[in-house]
Amino acid sequence: MYYAHITGWGCAVPEKVLTNADLEKMVETSDAWIVERSGIRERHIAGEGESSATLGVQAAWKALEVAGVRPSELDLIICATSSPEHIFPATACIIQDKLGAARAGAFDLSAACSGFIFALQMAAQAIRSGALKTVLVVGAETLSRLTNWSDRNTCILFGDGAGAFVLQASRQPGGVLSAVMRADGSGASLLSVPAGGSRQPATEETVKAGMHFIHMDGREVFRFATRVMGSATQEALAAAGIDLAEVRWIVPHQANARIIEAAARFLKLPLDRFVVNLERYGNTSTASIPLAVCEAVEDGRIQPGDRLVLVAFGAGLTWGALVAEWSGPFSAERRIRPGLYRLWAGIRSFFRRLSRFLESLVWGRKA
Ligand code: COA
């Protein structure tokens, strides 16, 4: 029997920071209102040339470096994202090319802010079944590109960033222990980007009406979130056969401090058992949980052997929780040099494009 261990982690956020004071100049709001209602003080916003894939690639290199895993060892890349580069191709394929992960399959997973948990569970199941050995899971977002910066109901909430985990197979017990994944599509309209898909293709009218931006019923989403965070945590713990008292950290989706406080009350846990960093990043959707985990690992709060619950909710509606025992790298001595692999990935990609171009010339002449 195989277990799926989390052996590498990495995060990336854009340099540019947008504070509540900056937002005060853009819409009718105030720092006091935003902090009181959401807990958010600032968020990172992608600059020109940055996108979900570029942030995802940065996070992925860090995760590979920590794990000591070469891109060529990856069997699969799953990118959970709500702000993909395109409707297709998948953002995961762009990340695969930039990493030069020649053997890896790659696909995107769309479960909104629950996406990172769903993707981890898919990766873990593939590893546990014995089908795959090494999987990269990325959560990458540039929600700022889908945000209506004149809508104060939504523009205060979201931020950009990416996080990545490497999962590896081992016969040693540990790693991902259980997960629950849930959905309720009857609430699909509560949080959506209404136009730009096949249901309502982008037209001049849809753009004029701002239907390519995030639309949200904040109060309803809030109510739903407070209902599911605690119960999903309990379900995942029951599936793992673990008591809440054995859990060192709860890492919740970083959407709103009041939602996290409600979950803490439901679970009868003090807030200091929760990893919270939303005041500096806002809601980064699929990146929010890995961003919080990375910080807590790097400052020493999360240690190997610690049991964690990751719990999220999002558009769909979707929600889920995952129980894991934190592993750390299999071998701290195994070093990879991302700089060299980055160079190699660039050369590989260039020659692949060149060979496709030459092939098209030859075929063109034959036809
Ligand atoms: N600044 C000042 N006032 C604002 C505001 C802003 N940025 N946004 C809304 N308001 C106003 C509203 O217009 C409303 O005024 P009204 O009573 O005159 O209509 C008032 O503040 C209260 O709005 P309400 O929506 O009840 O506030 P809230 O306490 O529910 O907080 C959210 C709003 C969005 C912060 C909160 O509902 C929330 O976080 N919901 C969940 C959203 C979420 O997590 N989405 C992502 C899911 S992954």
Side-chain angles (χ1 to χ4, degrees), residues 29 33 37 113 152-153 216 218-219 253 255-256 258 283:
T29 190
W33 193 95
R37 302 292 178 111
C113 303
R152 68 177 184 172
N153 290 300
M216 182 181 75
R219 275 178 217 180
H253 173 43
N256 185 316
R258 289 188 294 139
N283 179 347

Side-chain angles (χ1 to χ4, degrees), residues 162-359:
F165 284 180
V166 172
L167 279 83
Q168 287 182 273
S170 164
R171 293 197 185 271
Q172 194 74 25
V176 176
L177 303 178
S178 73
V180 292
M181 301 187 292
R182 298 276 185 273
D184 175 7
S186 71
S189 63
L190 297 180
L191 181 52
S192 70
V193 175
S198 58
R199 172 79 176 266
Q200 208 161 7
T203 62
E204 224 177 302
E205 285 69 39
T206 63
V207 172
K208 266 190 201 146
M211 290 170 73
H212 55 300
F213 291 132
I214 297 168
H215 286 241
M216 182 181 75
D217 181 336
R219 275 178 217 180
E220 278 303 314
V221 174
F222 189 95
R223 233 170 269 151
F224 145 72
T226 52
R227 216 173 47 237
V228 298
M229 293 280 272
S231 59
T233 300
Q234 287 175 333
E235 276 184 62
L237 284 170
I242 286 177
D243 200 78
L244 186 56
E246 299 170 64
V247 173
R248 180 79 189 86
W249 294 106
I250 310 272
V251 188
H253 173 43
Q254 310 284 313
N256 185 316
R258 289 188 294 139
I259 293 173
I260 297 172
E261 284 157 18
R265 278 195 300 277
F266 179 92
L267 294 167
K268 299 189 176 59
L269 279 181
L271 255 185
D272 60 13
R273 295 269 297 281
F274 287 69
V275 178
V276 182
N277 66 0
L278 59 81
E279 66 279 7
R280 281 172 289 120
Y281 301 105
N283 179 347
T284 55
S285 190
T286 59
S288 92
I289 285 179
L291 268 171
V293 169
C294 283
E295 278 200 2
V297 172
E298 275 152 30
D299 66 22
R301 272 176 290 169
I302 294 179
Q303 293 286 334
D306 280 353
R307 284 176 171 164
L308 316 176
V309 177
L310 317 181
V311 55
F313 63 91
L317 300 166
T318 58
W319 66 100
L322 179 141
V323 182
E325 193 173 289
W326 193 252
S327 309
F330 281 161
S331 161
E333 281 85 55
R334 192 166 180 219
R335 298 251 172 266
I336 67 151
R337 294 217 189 115
L340 279 183
Y341 289 111
R342 212 174 281 141
L343 182 68
W344 168 238
I347 295 169
R348 179 181 172 276
S349 181
F350 172 78
F351 279 107
R352 295 207 140 215
R353 281 161 212 253
L354 183 68
S355 85
R356 254 194 312 275
F357 173 70
L358 293 175
E359 234 173 68

